Amino acid sequence: MFIILLQIFRMEAVVTALVTIFTSLVIAVLYVQYCYSYWKRRNVPYLDPHFPLGNHHTMFPKGISIGNISRQFYQEFKNRGVKLGGVYMGLQPQLVVTDPLLAKNVLITDYQHFDDRGIYKTKSAPITVNIFAQAGAEWKNARSKFTPTFTVAKMKTMFDTVRTCSEIMEQHLLKTVEEDCSKDIDILETMACFTTDVIGAVIFGIQCNSFKYHDAEFRKMGRDLFEEFHYIDGLKLFLTQYFPRLSDFLGVSNIQKGVTEFFTNSVKEAVEYREKAGVKRQDFLQTLIDLRSQGKLTLDEVIGQAFLFFAAGFETSSNAGTMCLYELALQQDLQDKVRANVNSILNKYNGEVTYDTLNEMKYLNQVFEGEGF
Ligand code: HEM
């Protein structure tokens, strides 16, 4: 009798488990189908998605980068002759705009409807909560606090710091050439050291010494953040990009542990030191510290925003500088023209590089912005 009861009980448990699994599967399939009907429901031309990566399935096994995947989307819709189209990144819908006028509307005229870059953030890792990832009212609120930081007057005060860093780079290059002029110069690394020094000085008010020490802390953090990914970090990045809601629920961070610890501790120590010693500096961190003392930012917010300015400032600028120099190396005539333009303006100001001298170098600016190529 006891054995029969046990068997009935076991069978009931198995049936319940099977029904639960089946129902969950049906709900999951319906949910995925609903997510993947987003563009169809809106009558927007779209590319057929493949679960689980949506239209990003070409990432595996071929390892096509997000940049190239986006280019393929653009080309596909352009070939179809449509001004916009829909794709999916994981389960999230993404709009691809192929018409420059529409793109301008998205970025400028109608930006209030497109105020979310879709960058991952999670409250479980305060370093991920910053102006680049914030959206809507939260972004507007943060943005209004930082805008006064980037006035022309403030830029001019930063200029001396930038010039000092460029002199250090110049000395480094001269020394390298003097030692062995046949040696190749890694220009990406040179630019990365330069922009790390600049960002370290204007944002954190510290001398990074990236040229002096190969393993200088801030330069190392830059490498860790953008170049050196361990398997587990890559997996986390993938999860947060393709399944942000699940990642947020699980508290997954897209910033490596070591980088998070470094910036969290550096900012905390700097804030504590300046507050205790009553020290005030002319850097962006000071703006954040002042906002904190006015009750407008928490310490976690100071950490997140300071980190973002490092990440957004150094890598973008070093890549832009590298690409510009690369193009100039390929096109000697443009290089000669830039050089002549720079020298003629320098001669006018007795060789002194100032904020205004630099602003007068219109052709250099055009080349940097890619207009001349
Ligand atoms: C050549 C260098 C740079 C390039 C190509 C670049 C590129 C970009 C792009 C494409 C965006 C997004 C714009 C948008 O969504 O409309 C952005 C935003 C941002 N960048 Fe840069 N950037 C550069 C340098 C810098 C530097 C030096 C800093 C700071 C020190 C910086 C800080 C930021 C911040 C804070 C945002 C977010 C602004 C906001 O949400 O209001 N960037 N950048």
Side-chain angles (χ1 to χ4, degrees), residues 343 345-354 357:
N343 281 337
I345 291 160
L346 279 181
N347 285 341
K348 214 166 111 184
Y349 293 95
N350 299 323
E352 207 189 333
V353 183
T354 63
T357 322

Side-chain angles (χ1 to χ4, degrees), residues 115-172:
D115 57 6
D116 186 349
R117 294 192 180 96
I119 305 289
Y120 178 76
K121 65 176 189 319
T122 177
K123 287 210 166 72
S124 329
I127 198 163
T128 63
V129 184
N130 53 55
I131 192 170
F132 202 63
Q134 286 167 313
E138 211 185 309
W139 170 80
K140 214 170 181 179
N141 187 19
R143 176 73 202 224
S144 65
K145 289 174 194 161
F146 304 146
T147 303
T149 313
F150 296 102
T151 57
V152 172
K154 289 253 168 118
M155 292 292 184
K156 280 188 177 174
T157 61
M158 289 178 195
F159 184 77
D160 278 344
T161 313
V162 178
R163 192 175 45 196
T164 307
C165 294
S166 71
E167 283 162 4
I168 293 172
M169 173 170 68
E170 192 184 359
Q171 282 156 18
H172 167 81

